[in-house]
Amino acid sequence: MMWNGDAYQARFDAIAAEGGDVHGEAELVRSLGPRSVLDAGCGTGRVAIELARHGIEVVGVDLDASMLATARGLAPGLDWHRSDLVGLDLGRTFDVVVMAGNVPLFTAPGTEAALVAGVARHVRPEGGRLVAGFSLDRGYTLEAYDGHCAAAGLVPEARYATWSREQYDGGAYAVSVHRRS
């Protein structure tokens, strides 16, 4: 899939200009108290930039060059990497790894387990977290995702219906928090 980073960012800029909240993902991540965050599938950097604005060390990774060009233009001082998340190896871990924006749904079919393993290897030992939100009506189930997290050494901690932490009781979207035990 080809993206236009500037057009994608313009959608969120318009929402923010109309008074809409575009930082729910960052607020949830901030509530976990991280010092460092990997924004996996960062797109134009909306989440990473907001986290950095609050003094959190952030690294953003995305495969799409247009999205990263927009991110680099908006925040040239942040650490941006162009990489597929399936084979990602930054050589370090983070307090939180976040996949916002349906990231697991954009990986090639059949590579979801490798995607989760790729990002999970960046979750710090002893209490680091992986946070992901995605639609459940596109073929990737919570059962499959939970299984991939378990295979990567992560246990479920919380599940929400939205990034604003509304209770999950089924439905077509979920935000999951898994912890390294």
Side-chain angles (χ1 to χ4, degrees):
M1 176 174 250
M2 298 296 293
W3 293 92
N4 178 316
D6 290 339
Y8 183 86
Q9 182 61 38
R11 286 181 34 223
F12 288 97
D13 291 345
I15 293 168
E18 294 172 2
D21 180 12
V22 296
H23 297 302
E25 300 98 326
E27 288 175 20
L28 189 151
V29 170
R30 284 181 44 227
S31 76
L32 301 174
R35 291 186 311 244
S36 62
V37 173
L38 170 59
D39 187 354
C42 65
T44 61
R46 178 177 51 86
V47 175
I49 293 166
E50 179 66 8
L51 292 170
R53 194 173 73 78
H54 290 276
I56 298 169
E57 177 202 359
V58 183
V59 174
V61 176
D62 204 285
L63 185 58
D64 189 88
S66 175
M67 297 287 242
L68 280 175
T70 300
R72 286 182 176 119
L74 292 170
L78 292 185
D79 192 4
W80 306 107
H81 296 270
R82 185 170 183 218
S83 179
D84 188 330
L85 298 174
V86 169
L88 185 64
D89 185 2
L90 296 175
R92 62 168 291 192
T93 61
F94 298 82
D95 296 332
V96 173
V97 175
V98 61
M99 290 192 292
N102 286 312
V103 170
L105 305 181
F106 293 112
T107 191
T111 64
E112 295 89 354
L115 166 79
V116 172
V119 297
R121 85 174 117 258
H122 295 83
V123 175
R124 80 168 160 79
E126 300 175 21
R129 294 178 175 108
L130 171 61
V131 182
F134 57 93
S135 295
L136 303 172
D137 58 357
R138 300 185 196 170
Y140 190 41
T141 66
L142 286 176
E143 294 77 17
Y145 179 70
D146 287 344
H148 297 150
C149 286
L154 303 172
V155 297
E157 179 176 273
R159 180 152 291 140
Y160 307 106
T162 65
W163 288 94
S164 58
R165 291 169 269 187
E166 293 173 27
Q167 181 178 343
Y168 180 77
D169 58 2
Y173 190 86
V175 177
S176 302
V177 180
H178 285 75
R179 177 187 284 273
R180 175 82 63 207
S181 54

